[in-house]
Amino acid sequence: MKMMKHVKKQNKSTKETLKSSLTFKWVSLVAATITVSFVIFSIAIYSLVKQQIVSQERNLTESVATTFQRRLVEIPTSLQISNVVPQLSPNTNRILEGQTPITSNDGGNVFNDDVLATLSNRDTSITIYNPSGDVVFSNGNVPDNGMPHFSKTENHVLKVETTKGKIHMKIYQKIFSDKTRRLTGYLIVDNSMDQQNHVLKSIRNWMIGLSIIAIIVFVGLSYLIVNSVVQPIKKMSQISHDINEDPTNKRRVPDLHRNDELGELAISFNEMLDRMQAYMQQQKQFVGDVSHELRTPVAVIEGHLNLLERWGKDDPQVLEESIQASLQESKRMKHLIQEMLDLTRAEQVDLQYPDKTADVNEVLNRTVNDMRMIHQDFTITYDDSDLAPDTIIKIYRNHLEQILIILIDNAIKYSTDRKEILVDAATEKDKVKISVQDFGEGIAPDEQDKIFNRFYRVDKARTREKGGNGLGLAIAQKLVESYHGKISVSSTLGSGSKFMIEFPLLKSKSENK
Ligand code: ADP
């Protein structure tokens, strides 16, 4: 019972999804639009044709009625079969009386053969009544409803009627004798319009047929078009659903081979997934690296505290050593945490300091002087001969200082015997280039790419001794790139390294001149 309910529910939800699906909505809309347009168009065309036919037939029927009336008014007495037939067919009468037949030379349109032609027309039936309502002549079926009801003032009535989808028209005409002005009878011209009804029926059938074909063709076409749009969207939706379930899923939208907005959407959708997964991977890696880096100082401090707990309390030497070591480790940890914070902040500087600028010469002079003060055993030379005066770049000055400190600090850390550092700044076209060079241990070519990665150190044990966490260059790179600059290194193992950075020039005095 429960199962049945579940299946029913599922069926219902499938039906609902089908109804709310884009394809269904779109195709229904197209079908409805085409149907309505075709119905309106068909009705308009049909009405126009029908109107035209009715108007033509009305003229024809009227002219038949007039022709008959003209002949019948010549009969002075009440209409009877004996005076009506000779009047309608004077030829017959003349031949019976032994006279020559009427020729076209005799003139007088009343006596032409139109009347006879009309009598033989299968669609038009003519019935003539005497004043008392008895049929005196008919060329076809006598109308069922017989004599018309004229209102007092009427002599002539025209009725257009539609029965069972067929149009027909009738003219009721009172006949007055030309001579006596007395009512001599009645004339009914009934045009069944069979031929025209047949034509109209054909038009109707054609239009219905064409409408059905058009609806099928357009619905089919719109289904194909809509499907070609909806399929990629469905794919993207399926892929995002899969990635929602498993964020490491490597599925991507396949190449759609189309140059339209959907093709672009698919490409940027894939790029977005790539970036998102790379970012997630980076975060994971970062958390792993951080916990790994923090584990060592924590373990060292813990070791010393254990040592103190067991023996150190009473041994002043152990106590002193352990306190010093723990202090050093906690300082290192503080430094590491500060560097990690700097790295995180370096990724968002563009948003935080969008309008800050710095005077390159001023910042470099100050930083180099500060570094000279701290490291008096080093000769730090600053060459600004190629730097245009008042060179301004788009960067928050503390960040430029931070980058320089990282580079000069490294140059000092990794210098060997030759304690000399060259800092150079130059303006080149629309760029400002700054370099920091040392003559120390240098970096092997295969390491040069990796040194900008977080926590990467060429010689872990040695750099740890020097207090390095492997974050300095990563921070410098993030900062430089956040301000649309570039950072690179050229180095020879054993001879020293040169770190180069460049920024887009905002303005300088030489430029203003
Ligand atoms: P650290 O804080 O360990 O110096 P960095 O990210 O600043 O971290 O540098 C990463 C690694 O690159 C260092 O561990 C070092 O091996 C190498 N390195 C950086 N600068 C220099 C340099 N001027 N000369 C030689 N090696 C360097």
Side-chain angles (χ1 to χ4, degrees):
M1 194 60 187
K2 246 187 177 178
M3 272 277 279
M4 286 250 297
K5 264 189 182 172
H6 181 70
V7 171
K8 264 189 185 173
K9 227 180 172 182
Q10 228 179 18
N11 277 349
K12 206 180 156 194
S13 81
T14 322
K15 267 186 198 166
E16 272 165 15
T17 336
L18 185 74
K19 272 191 178 171
S20 62
S21 104
L22 214 57
T23 318
F24 180 81
K25 282 183 194 163
W26 206 327
V27 172
S28 321
L29 189 75
V30 171
T33 315
I34 300 285
T35 313
V36 170
S37 324
F38 260 83
V39 167
I40 292 174
F41 179 74
S42 305
I43 290 176
I45 296 280
Y46 182 76
S47 310
L48 216 71
V49 173
K50 188 173 148 186
Q51 218 178 0
Q52 196 64 30
I53 287 178
V54 168
S55 137
Q56 256 178 21
E57 284 302 299
R58 177 181 290 158
N59 291 342
L60 203 89
T61 318
E62 288 279 14
S63 84
V64 169
T66 313
T67 314
F68 270 79
Q69 191 197 2
R70 278 189 192 155
R71 294 211 178 176
L72 295 175
V73 293
E74 291 184 4
I75 302 167
T77 54
S78 284
L79 305 181
Q80 292 166 26
I81 191 154
S82 56
N83 55 23
V84 167
V85 172
Q87 192 58 32
L88 295 182
S89 180
N91 252 352
T92 325
N93 211 27
R94 280 170 73 124
I95 292 163
L96 282 175
E97 285 170 4
Q99 294 175 32
T100 52
I102 298 164
T103 65
S104 53
N105 301 335
D106 292 319
N109 58 9
V110 170
F111 294 106
N112 65 30
D113 271 342
D114 272 3
V115 178
L116 290 179
T118 311
L119 287 176
S120 61
N121 183 345
R122 285 206 292 142
D123 287 355
T124 318
S125 73
I126 293 123
T127 313
I128 299 167
Y129 296 81
N130 62 20
S132 5
D134 304 320
V135 177
V136 291
F137 175 86
S138 178
N139 77 325
N141 296 332
V142 175
D144 291 341
N145 41 5
M147 282 292 299
H149 296 286
F150 291 95
S151 69
K152 272 186 185 167
T153 50
E154 272 175 334
N155 290 332
H156 176 93
V157 175
L158 180 129
K159 276 189 185 170
V160 181
E161 288 168 350
T162 309
T163 36
K164 292 181 185 166
K166 288 183 174 173
I167 320 166
H168 60 106
M169 58 177 70
K170 275 183 186 166
I171 290 180
Y172 301 94
Q173 179 71 51
K174 281 181 184 170
I175 308 291
F176 292 95
S177 160
D178 255 359
K179 281 180 192 149
T180 61
R181 300 277 162 213
R182 274 184 49 216
L183 179 76
T184 55
Y186 302 94
L187 166 72
I188 298 181
V189 180
D190 184 348
N191 186 353
S192 66
M193 291 175 63
D194 281 348
Q195 265 180 5
Q196 288 69 20
N197 277 318
H198 186 70
V199 171
L200 284 174
K201 195 179 168 191
S202 299
I203 294 176
R204 232 171 19 227
N205 289 346
W206 267 99
M207 282 188 161
I208 293 172
L210 278 178
S211 300
I212 291 172
I213 292 172
I215 291 167
I216 292 172
V217 169
F218 278 106
V219 166
L221 272 178
S222 61
Y223 178 80
L224 288 179
I225 295 169
V226 171
N227 222 25
S228 79
V229 171
V230 169
Q231 277 312 318
I233 297 176
K234 268 190 182 167
K235 259 182 214 156
M236 284 182 228
S237 147
Q238 182 59 45
I239 287 168
S240 39
H241 180 262
D242 288 355
I243 289 175
N244 239 353
E245 305 241 296
D246 170 17
T248 57
N249 193 317
K250 288 279 171 235
R251 273 192 72 190
R252 294 289 181 270
V253 185
D255 192 356
L256 298 178
H257 300 291
R258 46 199 297 170
N259 292 328
D260 54 10
E261 290 84 346
L262 270 176
E264 273 174 29
L265 179 66
I267 292 171
S268 47
F269 184 76
N270 283 347
E271 281 172 359
M272 186 191 76
L273 291 180
D274 286 347
R275 282 191 69 165
M276 195 190 78
Q277 288 184 336
Y279 187 69
M280 272 167 43
Q281 183 56 33
Q282 260 179 21
Q283 290 295 99
K284 216 170 132 187
Q285 177 88 32
F286 186 66
V287 173
D289 290 347
V290 167
S291 42
H292 181 257
E293 292 300 320
L294 283 173
R295 203 171 291 143
T296 319
V298 170
V300 174
I301 294 171
E302 197 184 15
H304 281 291
L305 286 177
N306 278 335
L307 206 70
L308 278 178
E309 195 183 29
R310 276 189 218 151
W311 304 290
K313 277 178 273 184
D314 308 318
D315 186 337
Q317 202 190 336
V318 174
L319 188 67
E320 178 61 26
E321 268 176 31
S322 294
I323 286 175
Q324 283 309 321
S326 300
L327 267 175
Q328 201 186 337
E329 282 307 315
S330 62
K331 257 190 216 160
R332 191 199 295 281
M333 217 152 75
K334 200 172 130 191
H335 181 59
L336 176 65
I337 290 167
Q338 184 55 49
E339 281 197 322
M340 287 190 310
L341 275 176
D342 286 347
L343 185 67
T344 319
R345 284 183 193 137
E347 285 167 3
Q348 295 151 12
V349 289
D350 208 17
L351 301 172
Q352 284 171 347
Y353 308 96
D355 303 317
K356 299 276 182 194
T357 57
D359 182 324
V360 178
N361 202 15
E362 188 215 316
V363 176
L364 258 72
N365 254 321
R366 261 191 58 165
T367 316
V368 169
N369 276 338
D370 288 352
M371 295 308 275
R372 278 183 191 137
M373 292 279 285
I374 304 168
H375 303 280
Q376 292 186 355
D377 49 336
F378 273 82
T379 314
I380 307 177
T381 317
Y382 171 43
D383 180 0
D384 64 352
S385 53
D386 292 329
L387 186 73
D390 295 332
T391 298
I392 308 287
I393 57 173
K394 220 168 173 242
I395 189 168
Y396 176 44
R397 54 163 300 141
N398 287 7
H399 285 149
L400 181 58
E401 204 175 299
Q402 193 176 2
I403 296 165
L404 286 164
I405 291 174
I406 290 169
L407 296 182
I408 299 174
D409 225 23
N410 276 351
I412 288 168
K413 264 197 291 189
Y414 303 107
S415 278
T416 43
D417 301 334
R418 195 169 155 189
K419 295 190 179 308
E420 219 181 299
I421 288 157
L422 296 180
V423 179
D424 186 271
T427 324
E428 261 180 46
K429 289 183 188 166
D430 54 349
K431 295 215 162 62
V432 176
K433 293 189 172 180
I434 302 166
S435 66
V436 177
Q437 187 175 7
D438 66 69
F439 304 92
E441 59 191 54
I443 309 155
D446 58 330
E447 305 275 3
Q448 288 177 13
D449 280 346
K450 300 178 198 159
I451 54 172
F452 294 99
N453 293 344
R454 284 180 314 215
F455 300 110
Y456 188 83
R457 283 155 291 186
V458 175
D459 181 343
K460 289 219 174 202
R462 278 192 58 198
T463 38
R464 204 176 137 71
E465 265 170 41
K466 293 178 181 177
N469 293 312
L471 285 176
L473 287 179
I475 296 169
Q477 189 187 40
K478 279 268 152 26
L479 283 173
V480 170
E481 286 174 357
S482 297
Y483 290 106
H484 310 289
K486 281 181 199 159
I487 184 163
S488 57
V489 63
S490 83
S491 178
T492 318
L493 206 57
S495 310
S497 318
K498 187 176 180 182
F499 281 85
M500 291 148 296
I501 50 177
E502 64 174 58
F503 288 105
L505 173 73
L506 194 62
K507 64 174 188 226
S508 67
K509 244 189 187 163
S510 62
E511 195 194 43
N512 293 338
K513 269 177 197 167

